[in-house]
Amino acid sequence: MVQIKGTLSEIIYHNKENFYTIAICENEEEQFTVVGNLPSVERGRAFTFDGTWQTHPTYGEQFRFTEYKEEMPNSKEGIESFLSSGLLKGIGKKTAAAIVKRFGEETFDIIERSPGRLSEVEGIGEKKAASIAEAFRNHKEFAEITLFFQQFGISPGYAMKLYKVYGADTIEAVKANPYQLVDDIFGIGFKKADKIAEKMGIGKDSEYRIQSGIQYSLWLYVNEGHTFVPQKYFCENTAQMLEVGAEQVYEALVGLAFSGDIQVETLEGRGVVFLAPYYAAEQNVCRCLLKLNNAPMKPISSNVDQLITATEIETGITLSENQKFAVKASLQNGVSVITGGPGTGKTTIINTIMKIFDHSGFTTAIAAPTGRAAKRITETSGYEASTIHRLLEYYYSEGEDTMRFGKNAEDPLVYDAIIIDEASMIDILLMNGLVNAIAPGTRLIVVGDADQLPSVGAGNVLRDMINSEIIYSVKLTEIFRQAKESLIVVNAHKINKGEYPDCNEKDKDFFFLRRSSEKEMLETIKVLCAKRLPDYYQGCDAIKDMQVLTPVRKGLLGSMNLNKELQKILNPPAPDLVEKTFGDRIFREKDKVMQIKNNYQMEWKKLENFTEGQGIFNGDVGYIDTIDLEFNELTVVFDDNRYVKYDFTQLDELELAYAVTVHKSQGSEFPIVIMPVSWFPPMLATRNLLYTAVTRGKRAVILVGSENKMHGMVENNRITERYSGLAVRLKSFLNDSGLGMLP
């Protein structure tokens, strides 16, 4: 680590979000470039920087600092430069010169200790003097706080967040309980807080540490899809993680239960632990589903059998007896579930139900968890579909600094019927928001494939509704003639039954290319995408029509490396393509990209009619239209017509999407799907993951790799148990037994 002093003479770049700064500094001996995080940058300010010299391939030698300390000037010229830098509001060059002329080298001491004397300077009254003193005090406080936290690895950006929350008491507040940072400061998790606490000398058996560790541990389970954890198992595992006794964890658990942060109860005869929001969501989903199921409904206008017959004549499609049964069930029950694999006619049933509702004068909404799924429903049914979030009018509440559903129990959705498709993707929190906004008397029809991967978020909503045997469910099993002609459909059902798929039949759409090593698999996938498939399938666009799916993110066949390799061959560097490097990623004009987090405030615009809206969602796929290096922004086109501008600071919300994980592909369909089949962790190399991947393809599915590994996936029917209480609750709510608080 090298230490160097310098005064800022020129600011090349400063990001106000994360404080990343590139600036020219100078001292008596040299001029040099510094790179690092500075919260505020004004020419004339002097610093001592700690860091290392590095040589940038384009910009040459730079000093990259990790720590800094501001040096307050002591000469008249330096003091005047500091005051006039704009750092202290209300002081311009003229006022700064007048203050220094009056107080000289004692200026800072006067501002800090006797601010009233500033009124001795012409043009400064009592109010302005107080304002200058307050700004100077805030600056010094923040400088001290930043310096204090540097020793614990907390960046100036986080120090600024801390200061905004705790003010002058920041250091004392953090010393008292560093674990409160987990709740109060976005971006500081338990592990970071734990490191800070350790450096401060706080013991492993601290009550604050154990309570924070319990909540951190519960969140780890939530991120794996669980809504609760068995208590005994949880206490033992958490105690091992925290290196304390299980009794200490249990005592802290009781304390958190009394404060309402967690919920402890008995479920099916065993003690279980919930985070409070997930407990409340499960309870409310049960209540709402049962109310909807039992409420009187608006009657259908005429005989259902006649309506089905009329729809068959209109569409030219004859429904099977099981399909008719599913249609009738959805009309006769307050809540119903229709489940089935590909080719079993779920879309036909949705279209039939919608036409019957239209004939009966019903107002109907149809929605899906993702924008891609909603778009596909619109294309296949002809009825306008939306995301569930849009249906519920999701919005940002500035007063609460959080996202809220505009539609809720107080202001419910006004429809006679609501159809939800791709329901396997719905987690318990989204389901809670949905059923909370549906008034009793509204029919709720839930459609999905229960054999696909479960939701990314916690819960097992679709399967729990089916397994409860309280919600009326119809399973479609018959594959229709047209679908039977597709090996994709036939093989999907074979995989689901634990049978090996048939591959490489002439004039069919399911292929397996045997390759022995991961390197060979990678090279084959690259050749398929760049040449073989575009040559074989006329009109096939290598970027838009083909999608590489993989079970994993990391490794040679993970989505991260596949994206780098595919970008090189499908959208290589070119003089007319502007590109932007962001961390270890390169974004280039024409690149295929995916939004990887929900951003409900992101604005979009349609250029053909200038309509505007908000909201880009996790999993939305688009293409980079332009990159503007002058204005530091990148434009992505989603759905061929929604233009979205990203500031360069927001590029962490985007990833290349030539390859995506199978989990990320849920709710989507692609003309051509390619997937490597190699050794993958047993939790991922499962039957339902392979089934989900295969059902994404419409025109062709190509698997590349080891046949033995593919067979292993088919045989691995390991569906990781999700701790979810929805099915049990639905049964228990009817007889009002089986649930009770633990002492």
Side-chain angles (χ1 to χ4, degrees), residues 437-453:
I438 302 177
T442 305
R443 286 173 174 81
L444 174 61
I445 302 160
V446 178
V447 184
D449 185 348
D451 293 315
Q452 285 193 25
L453 291 170

Side-chain angles (χ1 to χ4, degrees), residues 291-292 295 408-409 412-416 418 434-443:
K291 280 183 183 177
L292 288 170
N408 48 47
L413 295 163
V414 185
Y415 292 102
D416 297 314
I418 294 173
L434 175 65
V435 296
N436 208 38
I438 302 177
T442 305
R443 286 173 174 81

Side-chain angles (χ1 to χ4, degrees), residues 341-390:
T344 56
K346 296 191 298 295
T347 300
T348 300
I349 289 173
I350 290 174
N351 292 346
T352 302
I353 293 169
M354 289 292 289
K355 288 183 182 300
I356 289 173
F357 284 153
D358 282 350
H359 187 277
S360 300
F362 279 30
T363 55
T364 311
I366 185 166
T370 68
R372 292 169 297 159
K375 183 182 178 185
R376 186 164 52 78
I377 294 166
T378 301
E379 290 169 349
T380 56
S381 72
Y383 292 97
E384 188 66 33
S386 74
T387 63
I388 297 173
H389 286 89
R390 282 198 197 286

Side-chain angles (χ1 to χ4, degrees), residues 390 595 599-606 611-616 634-636 638 642-647 650 653:
R390 282 198 197 286
Q595 175 80 11
N599 188 330
Y600 302 99
Q601 295 174 275
M602 183 74 84
E603 296 180 350
W604 51 261
K605 182 181 290 186
K606 293 183 179 180
T611 56
E612 299 180 359
Q614 286 184 316
I616 299 296
L634 175 153
T635 302
V636 177
F638 293 97
R642 286 192 300 151
Y643 288 74
V644 180
K645 287 188 185 296
Y646 289 80
D647 185 89
Q650 298 173 298
E653 297 187 19

